[in-house]
Short mmCIF file of all heavy atoms in Angstrom, two decimals:
data_model
loop_
_atom_site.label_atom_id
_atom_site.label_comp_id
_atom_site.label_asym_id
_atom_site.label_seq_id
_atom_site.Cartn_x
_atom_site.Cartn_y
_atom_site.Cartn_z
N THR S 798 7.63 17.47 -24.88
CA THR S 798 6.60 18.30 -24.13
C THR S 798 5.67 17.35 -23.41
O THR S 798 5.38 17.57 -22.21
CB THR S 798 5.92 19.19 -25.04
OG1 THR S 798 6.84 20.12 -25.70
CG2 THR S 798 4.91 20.06 -24.28
N ARG S 801 7.20 15.79 -20.37
CA ARG S 801 7.37 16.68 -19.22
C ARG S 801 6.01 16.96 -18.59
O ARG S 801 5.91 16.96 -17.37
CB ARG S 801 7.95 18.09 -19.72
CG ARG S 801 9.37 18.00 -20.17
CD ARG S 801 10.35 18.06 -19.00
NE ARG S 801 10.18 19.34 -18.31
CZ ARG S 801 10.82 20.45 -18.63
NH1 ARG S 801 11.67 20.49 -19.65
NH2 ARG S 801 10.61 21.59 -17.96
N LEU S 802 5.00 17.10 -19.42
CA LEU S 802 3.63 17.40 -18.82
C LEU S 802 3.14 16.20 -18.01
O LEU S 802 2.48 16.37 -17.05
CB LEU S 802 2.71 17.72 -20.00
CG LEU S 802 2.86 19.05 -20.63
CD1 LEU S 802 1.86 19.21 -21.76
CD2 LEU S 802 2.80 20.25 -19.72
N ASP S 810 4.39 20.04 -6.99
CA ASP S 810 3.17 19.88 -7.82
C ASP S 810 2.01 19.70 -6.87
O ASP S 810 0.85 20.27 -7.16
CB ASP S 810 3.30 18.78 -8.77
CG ASP S 810 4.38 19.02 -9.83
OD1 ASP S 810 4.45 20.12 -10.28
OD2 ASP S 810 5.11 18.07 -10.20
N GLN S 936 -4.93 19.53 -14.34
CA GLN S 936 -4.76 20.40 -15.46
C GLN S 936 -4.02 21.69 -15.05
O GLN S 936 -3.16 22.18 -15.88
CB GLN S 936 -6.13 20.81 -16.10
CG GLN S 936 -5.96 21.62 -17.41
CD GLN S 936 -5.26 20.84 -18.46
OE1 GLN S 936 -5.66 19.70 -18.69
NE2 GLN S 936 -4.25 21.48 -19.05
N ALA S 937 -4.28 22.15 -13.86
CA ALA S 937 -3.52 23.33 -13.40
C ALA S 937 -2.06 23.11 -13.26
O ALA S 937 -1.17 23.91 -13.62
CB ALA S 937 -4.06 23.79 -12.01
N VAL S 938 -1.74 21.84 -12.80
CA VAL S 938 -0.25 21.51 -12.75
C VAL S 938 0.36 21.43 -14.14
O VAL S 938 1.48 21.93 -14.36
CB VAL S 938 -0.10 20.06 -12.04
CG1 VAL S 938 1.27 19.61 -12.17
CG2 VAL S 938 -0.52 20.15 -10.61
N LYS S 939 -0.43 20.87 -15.10
CA LYS S 939 0.17 20.83 -16.44
C LYS S 939 0.32 22.17 -17.06
O LYS S 939 1.30 22.42 -17.76
CB LYS S 939 -0.76 19.88 -17.26
CG LYS S 939 -0.65 18.42 -16.89
CD LYS S 939 -1.56 17.61 -17.84
CE LYS S 939 -1.45 16.09 -17.45
NZ LYS S 939 -2.22 15.24 -18.40
N ASP S 940 -0.66 23.08 -16.83
CA ASP S 940 -0.55 24.42 -17.31
C ASP S 940 0.63 25.16 -16.80
O ASP S 940 1.38 25.85 -17.50
CB ASP S 940 -1.84 25.26 -16.96
CG ASP S 940 -3.03 24.65 -17.81
OD1 ASP S 940 -2.91 23.92 -18.80
OD2 ASP S 940 -4.19 25.00 -17.38
N LYS S 941 0.82 24.97 -15.54
CA LYS S 941 2.09 25.62 -14.95
C LYS S 941 3.35 25.02 -15.47
O LYS S 941 4.28 25.82 -15.78
CB LYS S 941 2.04 25.29 -13.34
CG LYS S 941 3.10 25.93 -12.61
CD LYS S 941 3.01 25.68 -11.09
CE LYS S 941 4.18 26.27 -10.29
NZ LYS S 941 4.10 25.92 -8.87
N ARG S 942 3.45 23.74 -15.71
CA ARG S 942 4.64 23.11 -16.29
C ARG S 942 4.81 23.71 -17.70
O ARG S 942 5.94 24.00 -18.07
CB ARG S 942 4.50 21.63 -16.31
CG ARG S 942 4.63 20.97 -14.99
CD ARG S 942 4.47 19.38 -15.13
NE ARG S 942 4.66 18.74 -13.84
CZ ARG S 942 4.61 17.39 -13.67
NH1 ARG S 942 4.35 16.63 -14.79
NH2 ARG S 942 4.86 16.86 -12.61
N LEU S 943 3.74 23.82 -18.42
CA LEU S 943 3.88 24.27 -19.82
C LEU S 943 4.33 25.78 -19.85
O LEU S 943 5.18 26.18 -20.63
CB LEU S 943 2.51 24.19 -20.52
CG LEU S 943 2.49 24.60 -21.98
CD1 LEU S 943 3.46 23.66 -22.83
CD2 LEU S 943 1.08 24.42 -22.56
N MET S 944 3.82 26.55 -18.99
CA MET S 944 4.19 27.93 -18.90
C MET S 944 5.70 28.05 -18.49
O MET S 944 6.47 28.87 -19.06
CB MET S 944 3.34 28.71 -17.84
CG MET S 944 1.92 29.00 -18.25
SD MET S 944 1.88 30.12 -19.77
CE MET S 944 2.59 31.55 -19.10
N GLU S 945 6.16 27.22 -17.59
CA GLU S 945 7.55 27.27 -17.24
C GLU S 945 8.47 26.85 -18.41
O GLU S 945 9.47 27.39 -18.58
CB GLU S 945 7.80 26.32 -16.07
CG GLU S 945 7.18 26.82 -14.72
CD GLU S 945 7.29 25.83 -13.60
OE1 GLU S 945 7.72 24.63 -13.86
OE2 GLU S 945 6.95 26.15 -12.45
N MET S 946 7.99 25.84 -19.16
CA MET S 946 8.82 25.42 -20.34
C MET S 946 8.82 26.51 -21.32
O MET S 946 9.84 26.80 -21.97
CB MET S 946 8.18 24.15 -20.90
CG MET S 946 8.49 22.89 -20.16
SD MET S 946 8.03 21.42 -21.08
CE MET S 946 6.19 21.47 -20.84
N MET S 947 7.77 27.09 -21.60
CA MET S 947 7.68 28.24 -22.61
C MET S 947 8.63 29.45 -22.19
O MET S 947 9.18 30.07 -23.07
CB MET S 947 6.21 28.75 -22.82
CG MET S 947 5.38 27.68 -23.42
SD MET S 947 3.60 28.25 -23.48
CE MET S 947 3.73 29.69 -24.52
N GLN S 948 8.64 29.77 -20.85
CA GLN S 948 9.44 30.82 -20.42
C GLN S 948 10.93 30.50 -20.39
O GLN S 948 11.83 31.40 -20.54
CB GLN S 948 8.98 31.24 -19.06
CG GLN S 948 7.61 31.86 -19.00
CD GLN S 948 7.14 32.07 -17.59
OE1 GLN S 948 7.73 31.79 -16.60
NE2 GLN S 948 5.82 32.63 -17.52
N SER S 949 11.30 29.29 -20.18
CA SER S 949 12.68 28.88 -20.03
C SER S 949 13.31 28.42 -21.23
O SER S 949 14.54 28.64 -21.46
CB SER S 949 12.84 27.77 -18.92
OG SER S 949 12.15 26.63 -19.46
N GLU S 950 12.55 27.93 -22.21
CA GLU S 950 13.18 27.45 -23.45
C GLU S 950 13.40 28.58 -24.44
O GLU S 950 12.62 29.51 -24.63
CB GLU S 950 12.11 26.41 -24.09
CG GLU S 950 12.06 25.14 -23.36
CD GLU S 950 11.05 24.19 -24.03
OE1 GLU S 950 10.33 24.61 -25.01
OE2 GLU S 950 10.94 23.08 -23.49
N LYS S 951 14.64 28.56 -25.01
CA LYS S 951 14.94 29.57 -26.04
C LYS S 951 14.48 28.99 -27.47
O LYS S 951 14.24 27.89 -27.66
CB LYS S 951 16.46 29.73 -26.06
CG LYS S 951 17.05 30.23 -24.77
CD LYS S 951 18.55 30.39 -24.90
CE LYS S 951 19.12 30.95 -23.56
NZ LYS S 951 20.54 31.00 -23.53
#
Side-chain angles (χ1 to χ4, degrees):
T798 301
R801 291 279 298 273
L802 292 178
D810 294 322
Q936 187 60 52
V938 170
K939 292 184 177 182
D940 290 344
K941 182 180 178 181
R942 288 179 174 181
L943 184 58
M944 288 298 297
E945 290 174 351
M946 283 189 287
M947 292 175 62
Q948 292 172 359
S949 63
E950 290 178 355
K951 298 179 180 179

